[in-house]
């Protein structure tokens, strides 16, 4: 399943169109999650999630209390077997410090790929839109390309590998 963490903000909801598209293309359920820090308003979260799930055709949702949103996101992604987290990010730079503390913690702990949806991201609108992966010459490039190739095969899309360099 694809888990989208939300918090009632339009910022977090930016990930929904991309996540919904992926869920349809991969024929997997879309699942919403809100982590409510104690003593947060769980009743508000339940009403919000129920309404949002209806609007975006999510298969399910969870409101959970906790102080560690990243752990809750990763646990929800693996609740029914392997899953994928899809979350919004500020996307202002390649610097992980600008991703935000929750996104950074999810990326640091995730055993599987995570989809980060930047401020200008949108789901592909063309059936022939490729899967694009960026490499930067690091030792992880091979693994990243293997994952992207798997996605391209699952989505029946072309794979484009883009070399990214630091302009500085």
């Amino acid at each position: 399943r694809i888990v989208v963490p939300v918090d009632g903000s339009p910022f977090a909801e930016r990930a929904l169109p991309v996540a919904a598209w992926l869920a349809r293309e991969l024929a997997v359920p879309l699942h919403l999650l809100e982590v409510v820090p104690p003593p947060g308003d769980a009743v508000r979260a339940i009403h919000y999630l129920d309404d949002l799930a209806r609007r975006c055709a999510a298969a399910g949702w969870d409101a959970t209390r906790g102080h560690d949103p990243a752990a809750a996101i990763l646990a929800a992604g693996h609740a029914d077997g392997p899953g994928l987290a899809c979350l919004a990010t500020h996307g202002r730079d390649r610097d992980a410090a600008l991703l935000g503390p929750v996104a950074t913690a999810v990326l640091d702990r995730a055993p599987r790929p995570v989809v980060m949806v930047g401020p200008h991201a949108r789901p592909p609108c063309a059936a022939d839109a490729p899967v694009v992966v960026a490499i930067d010459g690091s030792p992880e490039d091979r693994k990243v390309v293997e994952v992207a190739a798997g996605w391209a095969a699952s989505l029946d899309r072309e794979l484009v590998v883009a070399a990214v360099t630091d302009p500085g």
Side-chain angles (χ1 to χ4, degrees), residues 70-114:
I73 292 165
L74 294 171
H78 303 299
D80 297 324
L84 174 73
C86 179
L87 56 153
T89 180
H90 295 285
R92 296 178 290 228
D93 196 306
R94 289 182 359 172
D95 184 354
L98 296 177
L99 291 176
V102 173
T104 300
V106 168
L107 288 174
D108 284 346
R109 299 185 216 167
R112 292 190 165 76
V114 174

Side-chain angles (χ1 to χ4, degrees), residues 32 47-58 61:
L32 307 178
H47 288 291
Y48 164 70
L49 288 166
D50 189 57
D51 178 61
L52 187 60
R54 292 171 199 273
R55 287 188 282 133
C56 69
W61 54 264

Side-chain angles (χ1 to χ4, degrees), residues 70-163:
I73 292 165
L74 294 171
H78 303 299
D80 297 324
L84 174 73
C86 179
L87 56 153
T89 180
H90 295 285
R92 296 178 290 228
D93 196 306
R94 289 182 359 172
D95 184 354
L98 296 177
L99 291 176
V102 173
T104 300
V106 168
L107 288 174
D108 284 346
R109 299 185 216 167
R112 292 190 165 76
V114 174
V115 174
M116 305 299 286
V117 179
H120 304 294
R122 61 174 178 70
C125 58
D128 61 349
V131 170
V132 180
V133 62
I135 59 170
D136 60 5
S138 68
E140 293 82 21
D141 283 353
R142 181 182 196 88
K143 184 135 187 105
V144 171
V145 170
E146 287 174 9
V147 169
W151 277 78
S154 293
L155 296 169
D156 195 26
R157 305 289 174 115
E158 175 187 3
L159 175 64
V160 173
V161 179

